[in-house]
Amino acid sequence: MADRDFLRWPFLEDAHRDFAARVEAFAATLPAHHDDADAATRDLARALGEAGLLAAAVPEDGRLEVRKLCLARDILARHSGLADFAFAMQGLGTGAITLFGSDELKARVLPGVRAGTTLAAFALSEPEAGSDVAAMATTATRDGEHWVLDGEKTWISNGGIAGSYVVFARSGEAPGARGLSCFWVPGEAMRVVERIHTAAPHPLARLALDGVRVPDAHRIGVPGDGFRIAMSVLDVFRSTVGAAALGFARRGLDLLLKRATTRRLFGAPLFEQGQVQAAIADAAMDVEASALLVYRAAWLKDQGTPRVSREASMAKLHATEAAFRVADAAAQFHGGLGVVAGSAPELLTREVRALRVYEGASEIQRVVIARAERDRRAG
């Protein structure tokens, strides 16, 4: 598209531009709306695998390149929110194995997820432990060469249809967040308590672990290392949530510009109204600022910066809030059409909303940023 000039920024290299072109060609064939979210997610994951694009989310060499992840989510979200979801969950759901898993576990789990024939899930949140991971109640009790897992997880994306789950549980090596461990659990061991239906449909569920026995060989990392593993995975993928929001914002700006230049009001294009020009200007600035924050955070991570929590939180916070503003403007200037169920502006406003909540709500990102600023200045 004509507005892809950011691909020439110094954050990106020729390999990233080539990858972006492959994703763009794939995304151009996708419908924006899917009637059956479960079936569509399966189909999209398989198509992404056949196109070789899931190799960026589930790399064979174990190196998660955040700039490629961000490019894929930026482009896919602009075309299809569910395609972005299918791509992202294959990476998030196996990130702990990619980064910390044994060679045996990698060989067992990753090829199917990379091919898109098996769906993956990241089971961290619980009914009383969302952003407050230290409040986790699911337990992992050692029993010889096995662990026994009991508890509930909720708001689990791909819940109920995934064949592979990374599960976090309290193993008790220390109080609070220091006493968590990480395990791989096959899909058939997870009991579906309820499927959760959201404004923008995608597979989501509340799940139970009822005395699930997990071999010690399926533990990821050392006992008590679960919190560090979870935060390391989120440190990689939080910037990519901002990238998805950026893609949604680009779609909103497209809708806003098309409406302003094709709709006539009082004998002149809607674009001639000053308030419409102001909305377009604000949307364009939001898109540009989000892109700078997202690709800066991704570049820093790819350069080997140990922790990019501050930068990733800035990218996620700004991009998701900006996308919400842009989507709202697009709906507003479509008038009645902006709230017609299934219309492009209405679909976009539903797709954008969840990004301000998952992988750390906007309020939590502000806490992370504020603490980082305090610590930087104190140090």
Side-chain angles (χ1 to χ4, degrees), residues 123 126 136-143 146-153 165-171 181-186 189-191 208-216 218-219:
E126 298 185 359
M136 185 175 294
T138 296
T139 58
T141 305
R142 190 71 182 255
D143 182 16
H146 287 74
W147 295 80
V148 181
L149 274 56
D150 289 282
E152 283 197 357
K153 298 291 179 179
Y165 291 81
V166 166
V167 176
F168 297 86
R170 180 166 301 287
S171 48
S181 293
C182 181
F183 304 89
W184 176 73
V185 178
M190 307 290 286
R191 178 169 63 86
L209 297 108
D210 304 316
V212 173
R213 291 181 65 81
V214 178
D216 189 54
H218 293 175
R219 173 175 41 81

Side-chain angles (χ1 to χ4, degrees), residues 331-348:
Q332 184 71 14
F333 286 104
H334 274 76
L337 295 176
V339 294
V340 171
S343 69
E346 188 271 340
L347 175 62
L348 179 60

